[in-house]
Amino acid sequence: GPRDETSHRFRMLSLRLPARARIATFLTAAALLALPAGLLTGCDNPACVFGGDCSPAGQGGALGTLSASAPESGQILRAAVPFIQRFAPTGTAVDPRTAIAIVFSEAMSNATLGFAYELDQVGFGAVPLGATALVGDGRVLVLFPITPLTLGAQYRVSYRENATVGDRTGQAIMRPSDGVVGTFTVASVAPEAPSVILSYPNDMETGLPTTTELTVVFSRPMDATTVNDASFVVETGGMPPEFDDAASPVVLSGVVQDTRCFRWRSVDAEGEPASLGTDREVTLDLSPTGAKIEDVDGTELAASSRSFRTLPFSAPTSAAITSMPT
């Protein structure tokens, strides 16, 4: 910025974070965040850095126009505008009891997502949705239809009118001109067996944080008692992680569980996310022979496996932002 009086009042902002601090993982030089030039003292509010105006002269300079929010451990922030990477389910043979999942390019703000999307049966109108869940390190939004969908009907997920969806840095997502996120058609005859409609991370994905949360979304409610260490098997580098708790159903509205979505994360004795190791291949085997996952009706899930690879470096333990000029 120009060498004016305000510039000379800049001070250094130092962040000293312990190894297990709740900090975000920043990916690759291309994804480094371009911090504004107006950082002054007292910027413990993320809005001052990313999505707000903290300069005494009333100047802007933030990454986004929405309110920013502090990231949680393992969340990915990118400098680019967020976008939707994946949508599920798809196709013309969807289970009528399915959940619906949207995967974003980075961690999103939960405050903007609760009522951002709607489901409607094409030609017939809106379909009621229950509470939503933002899981998968803030990148996976799961929608839960309250009642089974109509056999043979076509459905559409769209942005609600005037809904604004933003990332942790306050950047708004680019909405398609028609507002439609994805479409699918329910099978004319309900499928006999349950299936996995989406897993996070994506199979063979690379560059994931070492504390990544695994998320699996199913086509119908599952029997939670059959989802355990033997049927939901996570290994890192070919070995079980040091801290290996069983996967658990997503919790909605504080107490209600929905067994169409399960989450798994390695958590240490202090309740902090534990590292799966740097530059490690992490595998997830679901419903192997002898330890089958079943739906609530007792029908078995077919065996499947997927994997991803962690970053070759860990989250930073310290950081410093210095002003120009000093």
Side-chain angles (χ1 to χ4, degrees), residues 2-179:
R3 286 175 172 268
D4 56 19
E5 181 63 26
T6 301
S7 298
H8 284 290
R9 295 208 310 270
F10 288 172
R11 297 183 184 179
M12 181 176 70
L13 171 65
S14 296
L15 305 175
R16 302 205 175 274
L17 305 172
R20 292 175 178 172
R22 293 183 173 276
I23 57 180
T25 301
F26 296 84
L27 297 183
T28 72
L32 290 178
L33 299 175
L35 297 179
L39 291 176
L40 301 181
T41 59
C43 278
D44 56 351
N45 183 343
C48 296
V49 180
F50 299 124
D53 184 354
C54 289
S55 66
Q59 300 171 352
L63 269 181
T65 57
L66 306 176
S67 296
S69 54
E72 298 176 1
S73 179
Q75 292 192 336
I76 296 171
L77 308 183
R78 300 187 189 276
V81 172
F83 60 92
I84 292 175
Q85 286 186 328
R86 287 188 285 155
F87 172 85
T90 58
T92 59
V94 172
D95 194 300
R97 292 183 284 176
T98 189
I100 299 167
I102 301 170
V103 181
F104 300 95
S105 58
E106 60 178 302
M108 304 299 287
S109 171
N110 198 32
T112 65
L113 288 173
F115 299 97
Y117 299 99
E118 61 185 0
L119 173 68
D120 69 278
Q121 182 180 342
V122 176
F124 289 89
V127 175
L129 292 171
T132 62
L134 183 61
V135 293
D137 297 321
R139 292 180 60 188
V140 182
L141 179 69
V142 187
L143 313 176
F144 300 96
I146 295 175
T147 58
L149 304 179
T150 302
L151 293 174
Q154 185 180 9
Y155 288 86
R156 173 175 55 210
V157 174
S158 307
Y159 288 92
R160 293 185 185 275
E161 187 176 358
N162 299 323
T164 302
V165 175
D167 63 12
R168 285 293 201 180
T169 65
Q171 296 188 98
I173 200 167
M174 293 293 292
R175 293 174 52 147
S177 57
D178 61 2

Side-chain angles (χ1 to χ4, degrees), residues 95 97 190-196 218-224 226-227 287 291-303:
D95 194 300
R97 292 183 284 176
E192 293 184 3
S195 62
V196 174
F218 295 98
S219 63
R220 61 179 67 166
M222 308 302 289
D223 181 352
T226 66
V227 182
S287 199
K292 307 303 290 185
I293 295 176
E294 300 177 357
D295 66 16
V296 291
D297 299 321
T299 307
E300 294 181 351
L301 176 75

Side-chain angles (χ1 to χ4, degrees), residues 19-22 73-74 137 209-214 234 236 241-245 264-278 282 308 310 314:
R20 292 175 178 172
R22 293 183 173 276
S73 179
D137 297 321
T210 60
T211 57
T212 290
E213 175 189 78
L214 280 66
V234 180
T236 173
E242 180 181 1
F243 303 98
D244 186 15
D245 293 333
W264 180 95
R265 190 197 292 275
S266 183
V267 178
D268 65 20
E270 298 176 1
E272 295 291 334
S275 174
L276 297 172
T278 57
V282 181
F308 66 92
T310 62
S314 298

